[in-house]
Amino acid sequence: MSQWLWVSEGHSRVDTGEIISAAGHAQSAVECAQSAMYLLAEPSFHAFAGAWGAAVSVPGAAPAAAASAHAERALSRARRDVEHLARCLQDYADWLTQASLIYAGAEGGAVAYTQACQVLEALGCSFAATSGSGFQWRTGLGLVTLLPGVIGEFQAGGLPKGHVPRGALTLQAALGDVTGGERGLASSAVGVARWWNDVGAALSGKSSGVVVTGPDGRSAWGTPTMVALGVQRYLPADGEPSDPRVTGALNRAQGAKYSRSSPTAMLAQLGLDSAGAPLQKRGQTGATNLPSEFRLGSNIITTPAVPAALLARVAASGSASAVGEVQILRHTRVSPVAPGGEPAGDGKKPPSKNGESQSWSVVVRGTQEWAPGSSNPQDMQSNLEAVGRRDSDQEAAVRLAMDLAGVQPGDPVEFVGHSQGGAIALNVAQDLEGADYNVVAVLTAGSPTGGLAADLQAPVLNLENLSDVVPSLDGSSATSANATSVFFDARHLPGSEKRNAHSLETYVAAAARADAEKELNPMAARVGSWGQARAQALGLDGQTRTEALYYRTTRAR
Amino acid sequence: MARAHVDRAISALAATHCAGWEGSAAAAARERLTELAALATDAYYQVNTAAMLCEEALAAQAAALPGVEGLDAA
């Protein structure tokens, strides 16, 4: 099995120097095996055997010819074995090289990372000497205007085979170096966010919070501060003069035309059904186990049983230029009846009178708008505020959507987000955990998570493609107390050459492969155990009914 | 010579063990190292066997040469 992912978690203990040394030894082993391989392939070894194999007509020569033929076969097998060994050793050396770079960057910062690169290069370890846009980045205008183009440049298969991708790690080190480390980067992002906000106000008018409208027609409005204080307003507000900006935002949200992608199609391309199970095992999972009435409603979906299926739900969130969307999955489970005739609870929260218990998945999509002054809160403004660890309109939108959906403090709730959505998910999760909400899990994919949610106790799974620059925009590694960061080389995923390094499909494919290898690969097992714990905490099983609720979001401006 | 190179590869491989490394990645590295050690041991055995058979074949050729006539010296 090829090693395509690396894990960094809370209990990791690393002596980076030791791994760098190991990578050097592994590279020496590769060179020795290659030397042996070349020697075994030399024609002189085989010429005599061929000659004697053809010269068996003379009495007395037959035993020698037979011995030569035997030796020839043994040589061929030895050559094949050593060739295979050399290839496997090269994979191992690359893997150790990448591990040492990851840990050097994550634990020692930019200086240690640079030193690690120099030492590894001196040891002959192979990784591409990239000199892309990552080195040219600077904070401020240069950073934010370069972003969309740079993301496009880093393709999943962007480096030649045999080279370890390191564009994202290089960028992380460079960003930290330029801005003076993690705190400097956050401070720079805040400064740029303020400037960006001023530009947006000049172009499109001053923003005054965010309006969220739900599938049942209920709507709410609030600024990040109002939402944090719990004083958001529900619309229409009886007895109050309506703010034309709020009214206009509500009309805009309700009239938006969305385009959506299909999570089912995305998973089917990976050979999975919409629950995330292999298609050939379809009959064992998902909707087919549900009572028939649960399959009739238009918003009833197959319960996403595994991380890949959960992440694929992001694709179902709508996109429009001025209006964003937050998707909330309501999982309802009818508890079995206890011997006394009462529905059995889970021990933490009693089921309702009708025996139903609820849990929630909050699905947050990534950046949709890059220009300043957008009315869509899934924009660059929210990116800068998230990285700068400031409350954003998108966070307010998520909290308003949860409020409208009816998420209660005791209900188990998980968050999942791609790109910006992951950073927003982490920030909201930490805020709500501090407000006694029952946050059970967070999944981020391709998100800048460093410095965010440092006090979050819920288990966090961060997926980061090594060729994707976006997770490195934080300039540091993940900081959540219970975070497991999975770094992966997307070139090992089938069809990677067709996908962008930052695309949702790339991350869904990685999650699917990790899930498939959870019983074989110790690091993929971390993904499996996170998924298992999350499903258990949410009470997901064959009796769970899941409904997708979509909340439209737009700024009041 | 090939034997010596494989032998050195095994020695270098043994030096890649990182005693101070803990966590899932370390567990994966150790598992990979175990697999590679098995592969390397097998490769060493095959190279050693091939070397011995080559020596035997050369000895057989040397023994047969005086009695061989009309051998095509390809």
Side-chain angles (χ1 to χ4, degrees):
Chain A
M1 184 195 308
S2 62
Q3 292 293 354
W4 62 284
L5 78 168
W6 298 261
V7 170
S8 177
E9 65 257 273
H11 69 277
S12 291
R13 295 282 180 278
V14 182
D15 177 347
T16 310
E18 191 180 44
I19 304 180
I20 290 174
S21 170
H25 283 299
Q27 192 58 39
S28 298
V30 172
E31 286 156 13
C32 291
Q34 285 174 340
S35 298
M37 187 178 78
Y38 296 141
L39 277 173
L40 290 169
E42 274 185 11
S44 58
F45 268 98
H46 303 279
F48 81 93
W52 280 85
V56 292
S57 58
V58 180
S68 295
H70 195 192
E72 164 67 12
R73 285 195 295 275
L75 273 173
S76 294
R77 172 155 185 198
R79 191 177 66 244
R80 279 198 307 273
D81 281 8
V82 172
E83 199 174 341
H84 179 57
L85 174 65
R87 276 200 306 273
C88 293
L89 284 170
Q90 186 66 66
D91 284 347
Y92 181 58
D94 287 349
W95 190 78
L96 284 173
T97 300
Q98 188 66 292
S100 57
L101 285 173
I102 287 168
Y103 289 122
E107 303 199 350
V111 174
Y113 177 84
T114 308
Q115 286 172 347
C117 287
Q118 290 167 350
V119 173
L120 287 163
E121 276 169 344
L123 290 171
C125 297
S126 59
F127 52 96
T130 53
S131 57
S133 304
F135 288 106
Q136 302 160 12
W137 277 46
R138 295 292 182 270
T139 52
L141 183 62
L143 187 151
V144 292
T145 54
L146 273 173
L147 188 57
V150 171
I151 291 171
E153 280 180 28
F154 282 76
Q155 299 297 310
L159 292 172
K161 204 78 177 168
H163 287 80
V164 178
R166 63 168 185 163
L169 291 162
T170 306
L171 172 62
Q172 182 163 302
L175 274 176
D177 204 23
V178 166
T179 57
E182 187 186 325
R183 285 174 184 275
L185 179 61
S187 171
S188 302
V190 171
V192 178
R194 287 191 186 125
W195 172 77
W196 195 260
N197 192 39
D198 290 345
V199 173
L203 291 173
S204 310
K206 190 168 168 45
S207 170
S208 178
V210 64
V211 169
V212 176
T213 183
D216 56 359
R218 295 172 64 230
S219 306
W221 161 73
T223 64
T225 305
M226 288 167 66
V227 174
L229 295 173
V231 294
Q232 61 269 27
R233 305 291 173 83
Y234 298 97
L235 304 173
D238 293 335
E240 290 183 24
S242 57
D243 184 326
R245 289 177 298 183
V246 174
T247 309
L250 190 56
N251 291 336
R252 188 188 316 125
Q254 289 172 341
K257 300 255 184 272
Y258 279 140
S259 61
R260 301 179 194 278
S261 300
S262 165
T264 304
M266 188 180 290
L267 290 166
Q269 285 182 342
L270 299 168
L272 302 174
D273 67 14
S274 47
L279 278 169
Q280 62 268 27
K281 294 180 182 173
R282 190 175 197 143
Q284 300 171 13
T285 59
T288 49
N289 287 340
L290 294 173
S292 58
E293 65 269 26
F294 288 168
R295 284 182 259 137
L296 297 177
S298 59
N299 287 332
I300 299 298
I301 61 163
T302 304
T303 302
V306 297
L310 175 63
L311 192 54
R313 286 304 309 171
V314 176
S317 292
S319 172
S321 62
V323 184
E325 190 168 72
V326 175
Q327 184 185 165
I328 295 183
L329 309 182
R330 178 163 57 202
H331 310 293
T332 307
R333 185 174 182 278
V334 179
S335 299
V337 177
E342 291 293 321
D346 60 3
K348 293 179 183 173
K349 183 172 184 273
S352 60
K353 284 182 181 174
N354 59 5
E356 287 187 349
S357 57
Q358 286 189 331
S359 59
W360 307 84
S361 302
V362 179
V363 182
V364 192
R365 196 174 178 170
T367 311
Q368 300 298 301
E369 287 294 312
W370 299 95
S374 171
S375 292
N376 188 334
Q378 294 168 222
D379 69 345
M380 197 65 206
Q381 181 73 43
S382 292
N383 282 344
L384 292 163
E385 284 161 345
V387 173
R389 302 168 215 168
R390 294 289 184 275
D391 291 339
S392 65
D393 284 340
Q394 178 62 358
E395 284 176 50
V398 171
R399 291 187 62 168
L400 286 174
M402 291 175 68
D403 184 29
L404 290 171
V407 180
Q408 298 297 314
D411 296 342
V413 57
E414 69 173 350
F415 294 85
V416 55
H418 171 241
S419 191
Q420 176 201 95
I424 298 293
L426 271 177
N427 284 341
V428 175
Q430 170 146 313
D431 289 348
L432 292 182
E433 194 177 70
D436 294 332
Y437 275 75
N438 183 15
V439 180
V440 297
V442 181
L443 170 61
T444 77
S447 305
T449 56
L452 303 181
D455 300 325
L456 183 65
Q457 295 303 309
V460 178
L461 181 66
N462 300 314
L463 302 177
E464 299 190 9
N465 178 3
L466 289 164
S467 295
D468 180 7
V469 296
V470 178
S472 300
L473 295 177
D474 48 20
S476 63
S477 56
T479 45
S480 297
N482 286 322
T484 296
S485 294
V486 175
F487 305 93
F488 64 90
D489 184 348
R491 295 171 305 164
H492 291 271
L493 301 171
S496 64
E497 67 282 356
K498 299 175 191 164
R499 293 191 289 260
N500 186 289
H502 185 57
S503 71
L504 178 65
E505 289 89 341
T506 296
Y507 283 94
V508 172
R513 178 165 173 188
D515 196 57
E517 291 181 4
K518 64 188 174 192
E519 290 171 7
L520 306 170
N521 186 336
M523 291 195 290
R526 294 289 301 174
V527 177
S529 60
W530 180 91
Q532 197 173 16
R534 159 253 173 197
Q536 193 172 5
L538 291 169
L540 306 183
D541 59 22
Q543 297 304 311
T544 304
R545 176 189 63 182
T546 298
E547 185 180 4
L549 308 170
Y550 299 96
Y551 293 85
R552 299 180 169 210
T553 66
T554 189
R555 285 198 176 94
R557 71 186 331 157
Chain B
M1 281 295 284
R3 265 185 297 190
H5 283 297
V6 176
D7 197 27
R8 279 198 288 277
I10 291 174
S11 299
L13 186 63
T16 66
H17 174 67
C18 299
W21 190 9
E22 296 174 19
S24 303
R30 285 186 192 117
E31 187 176 281
R32 192 75 183 126
L33 181 55
T34 305
E35 290 170 8
L36 283 168
L39 269 182
T41 305
D42 194 45
Y44 183 81
Y45 172 78
Q46 295 301 338
V47 172
N48 202 44
T49 302
M52 285 194 303
L53 290 173
C54 281
E55 285 166 10
E56 286 174 17
L58 285 169
Q61 284 181 45
L65 270 174
V68 174
E69 292 174 7
L71 175 66
D72 183 358

